[in-house]
Amino acid sequence: MITERSGLPLSIGISGANTHDSQGLEPLVRGIPPIRSRRGPRRRRPGKLHGDKGYDYDHLRRWLRSRNITPRIARKGIESSQRLGRHRWTVERTVAWLAGCRRLHRRYERTAEHFLAFAGIAATLICYRRLDG
C-alpha cells in the first residue's frame, strides 16, 4: 500500500504470502491515480517516496529516479530504522485501520479479485472518514 503523507491510501495491492515486498513497488507506484489540484496541472506521481530497508535495491532506486521520484529508502547496514519512524507510523496506522475491517482481518474470500475489491472498499471508507470529519 502506498499512502499520502497524512495516511490516506493512494494505491493498494495484494500479493502472495511468499512474495517479497520490493516486487510490488513498481505496480503500486504505477497505480497512483492523477491527483487534481486547484492550481497547475494534475500531478501524476509523488515528489518523494519513503521506504524501509526491504526496498533497498539499486534497480528500484534507478527506476524511481527515472520517474522523477526522490527515493528516501533506508540503506542496509548503513542507516538505522529510527529516522524512518517519523514517516512510517502513518503507514502503520493506515494498515491498522484496514485491519479494523472485519472482512479483511481474516481472509474470508477465496479469490484474490474479491479480496482486492473489499480492500478497495475499505480504503475508500478510510478516505471518506478522514476527509469528511
Side-chain angles (χ1 to χ4, degrees):
M1 171 182 359
I2 294 183
T3 65
E4 183 229 2
R5 179 175 285 201
S6 66
L8 293 176
L10 294 177
S11 181
I12 192 166
I14 60 172
S15 63
N18 56 352
T19 305
H20 196 269
D21 290 342
S22 65
Q23 294 177 348
L25 181 67
E26 290 183 26
L28 284 176
V29 172
R30 283 190 189 114
I32 296 174
I35 301 166
R36 178 177 294 225
S37 62
R38 293 181 189 205
R39 290 179 280 151
R42 291 184 178 186
R43 294 189 60 177
R44 298 210 178 268
R45 61 189 163 286
K48 58 185 168 179
L49 187 129
H50 292 271
D52 59 6
K53 294 179 184 183
Y55 299 100
D56 184 28
Y57 292 100
D58 287 334
H59 71 278
L60 289 177
R61 289 178 187 273
R62 282 192 306 269
W63 184 79
L64 288 170
R65 285 189 189 108
S66 71
R67 297 182 59 93
N68 296 326
I69 300 171
T70 306
R72 303 279 189 210
I73 301 172
R75 294 184 186 136
K76 295 177 187 172
I78 298 173
E79 299 176 43
S80 71
S81 299
Q82 298 299 324
R83 291 183 56 208
L84 189 61
R86 291 181 285 179
H87 305 284
R88 186 176 180 167
W89 71 270
T90 57
V91 176
E92 299 296 333
R93 180 186 62 190
T94 306
V95 170
W97 287 340
L98 284 174
C101 299
R102 195 183 110 205
R103 197 86 183 178
L104 299 177
H105 184 66
R106 291 185 54 189
R107 188 163 174 178
Y108 292 108
E109 305 303 321
R110 291 184 182 260
T111 60
E113 292 84 14
H114 292 172
F115 186 76
L116 184 60
F118 280 114
I121 292 170
T124 304
L125 287 173
I126 288 170
C127 290
Y128 176 74
R129 289 176 188 150
R130 289 283 297 169
L131 296 175
D132 187 45

